[in-house]
Amino acid sequence: MLQNNKTEKDEKIIDFTLANSNNLLLIFTRNPELGKGKRRLAATVGDQAAFDIYKFLLAHTVAITKNLYAEKQVYYSEEIWNNDVWDNSKFDKKIQIGDDLGIRMANAFQEGFRNEYQKIIIIGSDMLDLSQDDLEDAFKALEKNDFVVGPAEDGGYYLLGMKKFMPELFKNKSWGTETVLKDTLADLKNETTALLEIKNDVDFYEDIKDIEAFAPFLKHMKK
């Protein structure tokens, strides 16, 4: 029983730390518009199905982040929408700035550190295989590490977190390719870094064709 009580106490202490630390979650999202976004998926399933799937993934991302013990900033790709799935009372809304993904992410992290957040994590908005627990675990990992990375099956990453800004992470990367994770970990070889579980993001039909949650969106593919 002593061990169990200690474990429960440790978990409560960790949760208290989450609630009372300067944590910031950055959520990068595309404005959902028919015929835009998820182009590799749309090439197989069609524009309407890709659009509906993306809205479904956005709703999931809202669900797993809205109650997280952290400040939450949604960074839109095109323009800020005030009346959408992101509740204005829970999510601060901003616009992505920069010519490529690396510059846009770097700018968001730098603004967060300028505003004195201590632990900053970035995710996208299209990961069904991500939960609130995963995000809490990522922030907890930053208690003992300066960086945390969530590797994606396709060779990229679905999450990146840090306690100090490292500009190299956002430079000299072929964004959207299978080399991003390898190149990122090479940058971090001399840093304390926690690796999360490998997860699958949604880019191609093959990523979702056997997952039950997506079946309603793929009925037309079975004909």
Side-chain angles (χ1 to χ4, degrees), residues 44-145:
T44 305
V45 305
D47 285 345
Q48 186 62 55
F51 178 57
D52 293 340
I53 287 167
Y54 187 53
K55 289 192 294 182
F56 169 69
L57 292 169
L58 285 178
H60 172 74
T61 307
V62 171
I64 66 168
T65 58
K66 64 182 180 181
N67 297 319
L68 188 71
Y69 282 133
E71 290 295 315
K72 295 169 281 282
Q73 296 176 349
V74 178
Y75 272 83
Y76 291 80
S77 60
E78 306 296 333
E79 59 185 5
I80 294 172
W81 290 356
N82 283 314
N83 299 308
D84 62 0
V85 296
W86 306 101
D87 184 340
N88 290 6
S89 67
K90 294 179 182 291
F91 298 93
D92 189 16
K93 298 184 174 183
K94 296 178 176 289
I95 196 81
Q96 297 174 29
I97 299 172
D99 291 335
D100 69 26
L101 179 59
I103 297 170
R104 295 194 291 270
M105 290 195 295
N107 286 335
F109 271 103
Q110 285 179 296
E111 181 175 335
F113 284 120
R114 280 197 300 270
N115 289 325
E116 300 185 346
Y117 289 101
Q118 295 166 348
K119 303 182 193 74
I120 306 177
I121 285 172
I122 193 167
I123 61 171
S125 54
D126 58 356
M127 283 286 297
L128 186 66
D129 195 20
L130 194 63
S131 68
Q132 181 175 328
D133 285 345
D134 293 326
L135 297 174
E136 290 175 353
D137 287 344
F139 276 116
K140 290 170 188 173
L142 288 174
E143 291 294 318
K144 296 181 178 179
N145 299 275

Side-chain angles (χ1 to χ4, degrees), residues 3-221:
Q3 182 60 42
N4 287 342
N5 287 339
K6 183 180 185 303
T7 302
E8 288 175 15
K9 186 179 178 184
D10 286 348
E11 287 177 357
K12 286 177 181 175
I13 290 171
I14 289 171
D15 289 338
F16 181 80
T17 302
L18 275 174
N20 290 275
S21 60
N22 262 347
N23 294 342
L24 173 62
L25 180 69
L26 307 171
I27 305 166
F28 265 38
T29 188
R30 281 188 170 276
N31 295 79
E33 296 181 68
L34 183 63
K36 296 183 179 180
K38 289 291 165 206
R39 302 315 302 151
R40 292 175 290 185
L41 179 62
T44 305
V45 305
D47 285 345
Q48 186 62 55
F51 178 57
D52 293 340
I53 287 167
Y54 187 53
K55 289 192 294 182
F56 169 69
L57 292 169
L58 285 178
H60 172 74
T61 307
V62 171
I64 66 168
T65 58
K66 64 182 180 181
N67 297 319
L68 188 71
Y69 282 133
E71 290 295 315
K72 295 169 281 282
Q73 296 176 349
V74 178
Y75 272 83
Y76 291 80
S77 60
E78 306 296 333
E79 59 185 5
I80 294 172
W81 290 356
N82 283 314
N83 299 308
D84 62 0
V85 296
W86 306 101
D87 184 340
N88 290 6
S89 67
K90 294 179 182 291
F91 298 93
D92 189 16
K93 298 184 174 183
K94 296 178 176 289
I95 196 81
Q96 297 174 29
I97 299 172
D99 291 335
D100 69 26
L101 179 59
I103 297 170
R104 295 194 291 270
M105 290 195 295
N107 286 335
F109 271 103
Q110 285 179 296
E111 181 175 335
F113 284 120
R114 280 197 300 270
N115 289 325
E116 300 185 346
Y117 289 101
Q118 295 166 348
K119 303 182 193 74
I120 306 177
I121 285 172
I122 193 167
I123 61 171
S125 54
D126 58 356
M127 283 286 297
L128 186 66
D129 195 20
L130 194 63
S131 68
Q132 181 175 328
D133 285 345
D134 293 326
L135 297 174
E136 290 175 353
D137 287 344
F139 276 116
K140 290 170 188 173
L142 288 174
E143 291 294 318
K144 296 181 178 179
N145 299 275
D146 286 333
F147 297 90
V148 59
V149 178
E153 289 182 1
D154 64 4
Y157 56 75
Y158 60 85
L159 179 150
L160 176 66
M162 61 190 71
K163 286 193 296 196
K164 61 180 182 179
F165 185 70
M166 187 174 180
E168 295 91 330
L169 295 174
F170 307 102
K171 297 175 181 177
N172 303 315
K173 305 289 184 299
S174 298
W175 300 109
T177 73
E178 69 280 358
T179 63
V180 172
L181 177 65
K182 176 174 66 71
D183 291 343
T184 299
L185 294 180
D187 290 334
L188 293 170
K189 66 180 183 296
N190 296 320
E191 305 290 340
T192 56
T193 304
L195 283 179
L196 305 178
E197 286 183 28
I198 296 174
K199 292 184 179 292
N200 178 42
D201 55 6
V202 176
D203 289 314
F204 296 96
Y205 172 65
E206 289 72 24
D207 296 329
I208 64 172
K209 64 183 180 66
D210 298 320
I211 299 175
E212 189 175 342
F214 292 106
F217 306 104
L218 302 175
K219 291 176 181 176
H220 65 293
M221 301 294 293

